[in-house]
């Protein structure tokens, strides 16, 4: 027992030493970026689930400026028991580089919607330094505070058009497969999400729990195979920020040359959960308009390539991912610090959500959730 305690203490100590080393680098950021001089100590930012994130106040000549620094430990920052490849920040750096000037994806970026600009990636430290987009609300917070139906639909349409063009543009591009080969992330998702769906279904006392679990695992195993398009990989509301200049999409470390259903099913699941969790009609309507705008614009962006890039298989897979994500966030390992935190598993809201999740997994093509894609008429 003492040996185990010492092991845990040693691991904790190593982590603290690593964090202090990173903070020392950030305090002396001018050694990595001579044009920047830090004005004060790095400011830790809350809200990061996968990584540790700081804001650095800098001076460029006489102009004050701020940067964002992100460090990836070899596990999920909010769940240290779950190992996660720290090389994920190299993937994010690749994405930011390709969306930047002269990059392969630069024509997809605009001030209306884009990722942050890459400033520098320090590979041997797994440390990413990028543009500070603003101290502004993510889409989840925006939904709660703003109820402009026209703007909501426009926001949904911006996201749908951006993701649709990303999927269409990168379809069947071997160079993207090489640069965004991220198998360790998909393996982690299989092990810690899709393989646990059966336990979540049993925990929620859902009928056909075994069948639900088998379908989720089969989908997770499909994601281990060579993909079709570049996916953002973590398309949920905390990754989308609403600025005065447009939308900014952050956290590209889970991007992967994979299947488009992970992006579509993921965002739709989180929009559905926001709509379900907040009882007031204005918030529900705002979320619904974003969801409708997203699906319609995504379908339009794919155009004639819809069947090839997405099609019936994409609808089915998106529904299965939708159900898996809802179970994970309601009765699974990631209920904490999210919409359903603290609700017991027999709470009526939880029961409604898990029943909806089960329907999407067991009968994916019979649910109306993805009808905005107009797939039934193709």
């Amino acid at each position: 027992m003492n040996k185990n305690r010492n092991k845990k203490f040693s691991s904790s100590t190593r982590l603290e030493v690593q964090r202090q080393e990173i903070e020392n680098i950030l305090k002396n950021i001018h050694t990595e970026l001579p044009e920047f001089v830090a004005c004060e100590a790095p400011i830790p930012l809350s809200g990061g689930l996968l990584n540790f994130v700081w804001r650095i106040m800098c001076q460029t000549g006489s102009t004050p400026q701020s940067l964002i620094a992100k460090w990836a430990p070899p596990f999920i920052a909010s769940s240290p028991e779950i190992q996660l490849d720290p090389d994920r920040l190299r993937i994010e750096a690749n994405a930011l580089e390709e969306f930047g000037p002269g990059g392969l994806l630069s024509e997809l970026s605009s001030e209306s919607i884009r990722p942050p600009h890459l400033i520098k990636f320090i590979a041997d430290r797994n440390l990413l330094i990028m543009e500070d987009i603003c101290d502004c609300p993510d889409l989840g917070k925006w939904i709660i505070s703003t109820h402009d139906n026209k703007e909501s639909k426009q926001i949904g349409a911006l996201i749908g058009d951006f993701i649709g063009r990303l999927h269409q543009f990168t379809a069947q591009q071997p160079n993207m497969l090489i640069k965004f080969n991220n198998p360790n992330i998909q393996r982690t998702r299989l092990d810690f999400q899709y393989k646990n769906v059966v336990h979540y279904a049993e925990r929620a006392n859902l009928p056909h729990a075994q069948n639900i679990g088998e379908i989720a695992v089969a989908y997770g195993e499909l994601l281990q195979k060579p993909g079709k398009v570049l996916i953002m990989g973590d398309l949920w509301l905390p990754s989308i920020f609403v600025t005065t200049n447009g939308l900014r999409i952050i956290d590209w470390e889970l991007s992967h040359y994979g299947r488009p259903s992970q992006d579509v099913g993921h965002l739709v699941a989180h929009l559905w959960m926001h709509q379900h969790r907040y009882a007031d009609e204005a918030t529900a309507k705002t979320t619904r308009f974003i969801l409708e705008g997203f699906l319609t614009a995504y379908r339009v962006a794919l155009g004639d390539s819809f069947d090839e890039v997405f099609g019936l298989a994409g609808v089915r897979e998106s529904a299965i991912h939708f159900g898996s994500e809802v179970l994970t966030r309601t009765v699974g390992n990631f209920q904490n610090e999210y919409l359903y935190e603290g609700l017991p598993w027999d709470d009526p809201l939880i029961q409604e959500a898990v029943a909806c999740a089960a329907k999407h997994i067991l009968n994916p093509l019979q649910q109306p959730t993805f009808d905005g894609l107009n797939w039934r008429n193709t």
Side-chain angles (χ1 to χ4, degrees), residues 188-292:
T188 299
R189 280 183 144 163
L190 174 61
D191 291 341
F192 288 96
Q193 180 172 30
Y194 303 114
K195 286 185 178 180
N196 280 326
V197 164
V198 63
H199 305 304
Y200 303 155
E202 290 170 347
R203 186 180 293 167
N205 294 316
L206 286 170
H208 313 295
Q210 194 65 36
N211 193 15
I212 289 170
E214 289 170 357
I215 294 170
V217 168
Y219 174 61
E221 290 176 341
L222 175 65
L223 298 175
Q224 311 306 306
K225 298 179 180 179
K228 301 170 65 175
V229 302
L230 177 61
I231 63 168
M232 189 273 171
D234 197 19
L235 193 64
W236 64 322
L237 281 61
S239 294
I240 304 168
F241 279 74
V242 184
T243 82
T244 55
N245 298 317
L247 302 182
R248 300 292 179 262
I249 302 182
I250 67 168
D251 294 340
W252 289 78
E253 68 259 35
L254 302 189
S255 56
H256 177 64
Y257 201 79
R259 302 187 72 82
S261 53
Q262 270 192 301
D263 278 345
V264 175
H266 203 66
L267 182 60
V268 171
H270 284 276
L271 286 170
W272 183 91
M273 284 187 279
H274 273 76
Q275 183 177 331
H276 178 249
R277 185 67 180 91
Y278 293 107
D280 66 287
E281 173 126 5
T283 299
K285 186 180 285 189
T286 298
T287 311
R288 188 165 63 250
F289 272 101
I290 294 173
L291 178 54
E292 290 172 0

Side-chain angles (χ1 to χ4, degrees), residues 46-48 135-147 236-242 274 278 283 286-287 290 338-339:
S46 61
D135 188 6
C136 47
D138 65 38
L139 188 54
K141 294 173 183 173
W142 186 89
I143 285 172
I144 298 170
S145 61
T146 308
H147 300 128
W236 64 322
L237 281 61
S239 294
I240 304 168
F241 279 74
V242 184
H274 273 76
Y278 293 107
T283 299
T286 298
T287 311
I290 294 173
Y338 202 54
L339 298 170

Side-chain angles (χ1 to χ4, degrees), residues 81-141:
E81 71 280 3
I82 300 178
Q83 300 299 300
L84 197 62
D85 186 359
D87 196 45
R88 59 189 183 268
L89 283 199
R90 178 185 59 81
I91 294 289
E92 180 166 10
N94 286 346
L96 301 190
E97 181 180 39
E98 295 298 354
F99 278 109
L104 293 172
L105 305 175
S106 59
E107 66 182 68
L108 305 180
S109 283
S110 71
E111 283 307 296
S112 296
I113 182 168
R114 63 171 174 81
H117 294 310
L118 173 67
I119 295 177
K120 185 161 187 176
F121 176 52
I122 307 172
D124 61 339
R125 298 283 187 169
N126 291 313
L127 181 64
L128 180 64
I129 301 172
M130 63 193 132
E131 171 193 17
D132 186 356
I133 52 173
C134 70
D135 188 6
C136 47
D138 65 38
L139 188 54
K141 294 173 183 173

